């Protein structure tokens, strides 16, 4: 095999790139690709990302596809699209934003159901923190780095489509041009909204409002438009009805037949792509990983998406007991015992050493009747008691049912007639409120 | 005393909401006639969506978490990801030390690349220099092996070595560089200290 033949031998996965230019004959796949591209409508704006036509020729991209053991059903073009951040290509048909929205919901759903069935008594703040630790942007960004996906230094149509395409934000510590101030100290022209009502008043964010208004990690949304006083939607995802639009879903005319909506009814009539805002590497990495999960779901179905989630998300290790931080563990524990009908907790000294020395150690257990709920060691009697109560609370909240009893809702989703029966799962009444 | 209202509600998105239209090479998601799709369309427009809504109400929680920790990757658990991401083969058309490399590129490299699809292979000339295999690894490091005067078979061995390598620094001499086994879990026995346990007599 000569070098030219190597150059032409672009197989689906093992692509070899040569820096020497060989006069290669066009193979069948490229001819077909050209034929298909006849219907392609070129983007009249300033194209900032490589064309999707380059995807089949990228060695980086096919190597990434193979390295992640992605199914054959997921084409390279879609993988390339997953790598295009909205900050370089604002067109929703070409960037990864629609895929990432789907992927974010899928990853969030699979993680939440896993956490809630495995640890049914997790308090809400811990659930939020665990959710962030598994599928939050920093975890997904670490995942991108562990896959060996590199990001472009600067976006452009000539870069390899196997790189993460993003337009980087100018660091806040950089000096603003022509000013004596840093970027982060400059007055911001663009405000972001959180989707909350009356957000200009900075009301306290309690746990209930975090659940209702904020994102799946209980953090403030940052991508929504700033709310004005009255026209805020009741919750972030709610459809906004406009009386002047006659859409089939919200049509007042009930006598007419139900018509299918046009495919692009949700797009504005004249698409105007504003100058996309720059992003950070962490945000773009998370968007890429989420888009990949969404693309897997669309191309290869639920099993592939769940397999991806199990292999890449649930295989990670999170010490859940470190997420707890009790303010008043002894009080919480006595409330818990009263709620559950246990005898009130009593702290007893189990063993001690060096009471009169500089470094005494007291091992204290909290008992409810004859049952030891928890044990802790401390340098004083009180410290041991508090640690023991915290250990008891941690043991209560981190209870996990037997593995054979755990069943996730997605396991029986759409499998009604296949013999798999849903086992009811424990639903706890919630954490102790004191 | 306890008034906790817990509602757990998981709304599962059905697959019928989306139809994939693959045309040319781009993919559009088209909403079908489905009541939930309106929710999705809004969420697509506004950059936010909610399939999973978990609602619970309570007055106040004393439990808080310290900052955002993230779940760490465990070695050997989950998906296997090959650590070598790119191999560069450099050759020279003129120099005699590249004779084996040139034969390797023509005879063995295509099969090697086909068998290792997860590694990006690039071949480029380096005139007047010895042939080199350079590997780039996921941890950001790179390793280079000079393969002058080697036979194609020996070069294949080096390429396989590079493919299987983790990219970690080989440091067997110093104590800090030695491969130390580190655990994610805290020690069962705790850290030894001189003030506890049996008394230490000087």
């Amino acid at each position: 095999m000569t070098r030219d033949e190597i150059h032409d031998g672009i197989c689906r996965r093992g692509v070899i790139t040569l820096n020497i230019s060989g006069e290669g004959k066009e193979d069948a796949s490229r001819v077909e690709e050209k034929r298909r591209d006849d219907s392609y409508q070129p983007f009249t704006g300033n194209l900032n990302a490589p064309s999707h036509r380059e995807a089949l020729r990228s060695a980086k991209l096919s190597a990434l596809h193979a390295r992640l053991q992605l199914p054959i059903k997921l084409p390279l073009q879609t993988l390339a699209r997953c790598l295009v951040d909205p900050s370089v290509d604002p067109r929703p048909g070409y960037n990864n934003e629609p895929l990432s929205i789907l992927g974010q919901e899928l990853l969030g759903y699979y993680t939440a159901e896993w956490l809630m069935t495995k640890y049914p008594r997790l308090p809400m703040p811990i659930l939020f923190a665990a959710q962030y630790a598994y599928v939050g942007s920093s975890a997904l960004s670490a995942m991108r780095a562990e896959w060996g996906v590199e990001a472009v230094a600067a976006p452009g149509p000539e870069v390899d489509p196997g790189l993460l395409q993003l337009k980087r934000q100018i660091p806040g510590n950089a000096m603003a041009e022509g000013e004596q101030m840093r970027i982060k100290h400059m007055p911001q022209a663009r405000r972001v909204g959180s989707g909350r009502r009356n957000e200009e008043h900075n009301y306290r964010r309690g746990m209930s409002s975090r659940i209702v208004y904020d994102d799946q990690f209980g953090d403030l949304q940052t991508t929504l438009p700033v709310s004005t006083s009255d026209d805020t939607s009741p919750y972030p995802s709610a459809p906004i009805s406009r009386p002047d639009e006659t859409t089939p879903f919200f049509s007042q005319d009930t006598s007419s037949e139900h018509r299918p909506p046009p495919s692009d009814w949700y797009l504005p009539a004249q698409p105007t792509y504003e100058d996309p805002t720059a992003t950070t590497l962490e945000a773009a990495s998370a968007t890429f990983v989420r888009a990949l999960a969404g693309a897997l779901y669309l191309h290869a179905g639920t099993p592939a998406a769940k397999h991806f989630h199990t292999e890449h998300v649930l295989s990670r290790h999170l010490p859940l007991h470190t997420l707890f931080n009790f303010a008043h563990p002894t009080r919480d524990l006595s409330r818990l015992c009263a709620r559950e009908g246990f005898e009130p907790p009593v702290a007893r000294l189990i063993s001690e050493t060096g009471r009169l020395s500089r470094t005494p150690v007291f091992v204290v257990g909290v008992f409810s009747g004859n049952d030891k709920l928890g044990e802790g060691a401390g340098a004083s009697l009180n410290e041991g008691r508090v640690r023991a109560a915290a250990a008891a609370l941690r043991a209560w909240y981190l209870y996990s049912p037997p593995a054979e009893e755990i069943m996730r809702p997605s396991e029986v989703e759409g499998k009604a007639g296949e013999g798999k029966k849903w086992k009811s799962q424990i639903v706890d009444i919630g954490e102790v409120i004191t | 005393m306890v008034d906790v209202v817990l509602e757990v509600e998981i709304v599962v998105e059905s697959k019928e909401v989306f139809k994939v239209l693959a045309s040319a090479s781009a993919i559009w998601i088209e909403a079908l006639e489905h009541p939930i799709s309106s929710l999705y369309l809004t969420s697509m427009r506004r950059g936010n969506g909610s399939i999973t809504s978990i609602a619970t109400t309570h007055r106040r929680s004393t439990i808080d978490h310290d900052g955002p920790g993230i779940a760490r990757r465990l070695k050997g658990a989950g998906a296997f990801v090959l650590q070598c991401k790119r191999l560069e083969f450099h050759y020279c058309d003129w120099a005699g030390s590249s004779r084996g490399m040139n034969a390797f590129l023509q005879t063995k490299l295509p099969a090697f690349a086909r068998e290792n699809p997860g590694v990006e292979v690039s071949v480029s000339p380096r005139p007047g220099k010895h042939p080199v295999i350079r590997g780039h690894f996921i941890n950001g490091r790179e390793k280079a092996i000079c393969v002058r005067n080697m036979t194609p078979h020996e070069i294949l061995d080096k390429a396989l070595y590079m493919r299987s390598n983790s990219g970690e620094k080989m440091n067997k001499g110093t104590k800090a560089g030695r491969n130390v086994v580190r655990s994610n879990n805290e020690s069962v026995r705790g850290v030894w200290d001189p003030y506890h346990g049996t008394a230490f007599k000087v």
Side-chain angles (χ1 to χ4, degrees), chain A residues 81 105 211 263 317 361 428, chain B residues 6 27 30 49 54 72 196:
Chain A
R81 188 185 153 184
E105 303 303 345
I211 292 161
S263 62
H317 174 70
V361 173
D428 193 64
Chain B
L6 181 87
I27 290 174
E30 186 184 11
I54 304 153
R72 283 171 299 181
H196 298 92

Side-chain angles (χ1 to χ4, degrees), chain B residues 18 20 29 45 53 75 93 95 103 114 161 168 181 188 199-200:
Chain B
F18 291 100
V20 184
I29 299 171
R45 200 188 308 144
S53 67
K75 281 184 180 174
D93 274 332
R114 219 170 289 122
Y161 166 80
E168 293 293 331
V181 178
V188 174
F200 180 72

Side-chain angles (χ1 to χ4, degrees), chain A residues 295-306:
Chain A
L296 270 175
Y297 177 80
L298 289 175
H299 281 275
T302 316
K306 285 195 74 173

Side-chain angles (χ1 to χ4, degrees), chain B residues 48-196:
Chain B
N48 170 57
S50 166
I51 287 182
T52 310
S53 67
I54 304 153
T56 148
T57 53
H58 62 162
R59 282 182 308 188
R60 191 166 60 90
S61 170
T62 55
I63 303 157
D64 204 359
H65 63 88
D66 315 318
I70 68 165
R72 283 171 299 181
R73 189 172 64 100
L74 288 182
K75 281 184 180 174
F80 171 74
V81 178
L82 192 69
Q83 293 296 296
C84 177
K85 61 180 175 185
R86 182 160 73 248
L87 281 182
E88 292 169 0
F89 294 86
H90 297 287
Y91 67 95
C92 172
D93 274 332
W94 174 80
S97 62
S98 285
R99 200 176 295 127
M101 183 55 138
N102 293 348
F104 169 81
L105 294 181
Q106 292 176 2
T107 57
K108 293 202 174 350
L109 183 61
F112 173 82
R114 219 170 289 122
E115 283 160 18
N116 300 289
V119 182
E120 179 194 349
V121 174
S122 100
V123 180
S124 56
R126 199 165 161 262
K129 304 268 174 53
H130 286 313
V132 165
I133 302 177
R134 177 165 289 141
H136 296 259
F137 298 91
I138 280 182
N139 62 2
R141 299 188 78 248
E142 63 175 62
K143 291 185 176 182
I145 299 179
C146 179
V147 289
R148 65 174 180 209
N149 299 330
M150 285 189 187
T151 63
H153 190 76
E154 287 169 334
I155 297 175
L156 181 63
D157 277 351
K158 294 295 180 194
L160 287 172
Y161 166 80
M162 209 65 120
R163 188 266 332 250
S164 314
N165 205 292
S166 71
E168 293 293 331
K169 198 171 181 181
M170 278 180 63
N171 229 342
K172 290 186 174 164
T174 60
K175 190 177 178 184
R178 227 177 275 156
N179 285 336
V180 183
V181 178
R182 290 191 178 84
S183 170
N184 281 317
N185 302 317
E186 57 197 52
S187 157
V188 174
R189 285 161 45 165
V191 182
W192 180 86
D193 69 294
Y195 304 111
H196 298 92

Side-chain angles (χ1 to χ4, degrees), chain A residues 176-309:
Chain A
E177 206 166 326
E179 299 281 343
Q180 297 291 316
M181 293 165 82
R182 296 185 191 278
I183 297 268
K184 63 184 176 188
H185 297 139
M186 293 290 287
Q188 295 291 315
R190 180 178 162 272
R191 276 183 64 205
V192 290
S194 61
R196 286 171 165 261
R197 286 162 189 261
N198 301 319
E199 58 186 356
E200 65 274 16
H201 296 314
N202 291 324
Y203 284 160
R204 189 181 70 84
R205 287 168 63 221
M207 185 50 70
S208 305
S209 72
R210 282 174 72 188
I211 292 161
V212 173
Y213 289 114
D214 298 348
D215 65 3
Q216 58 175 320
F217 314 116
D219 295 333
L220 276 179
Q221 318 247 21
T222 54
T223 54
L224 301 178
V226 179
S227 72
T228 50
S229 56
D230 286 333
D231 61 352
T232 318
S233 58
Y235 57 94
S237 304
I240 305 166
S241 63
R242 292 189 185 85
D244 53 344
E245 281 180 22
T246 53
T247 59
F249 291 153
F250 313 117
S251 164
Q252 299 297 319
D253 185 11
T254 51
S255 63
S256 67
E257 288 296 313
H258 180 69
R259 290 162 296 155
S263 62
D264 56 350
W265 70 276
Y266 56 91
L267 290 175
Q270 293 292 326
T272 51
Y273 301 113
E274 297 166 6
D275 190 26
T277 51
T279 184
T280 60
L281 181 58
E282 181 181 290
S285 307
T287 314
F288 156 62
V289 178
R290 286 172 183 142
L292 185 56
L296 270 175
Y297 177 80
L298 289 175
H299 281 275
T302 316
K306 285 195 74 173
H307 180 73
F308 174 84
H309 180 259

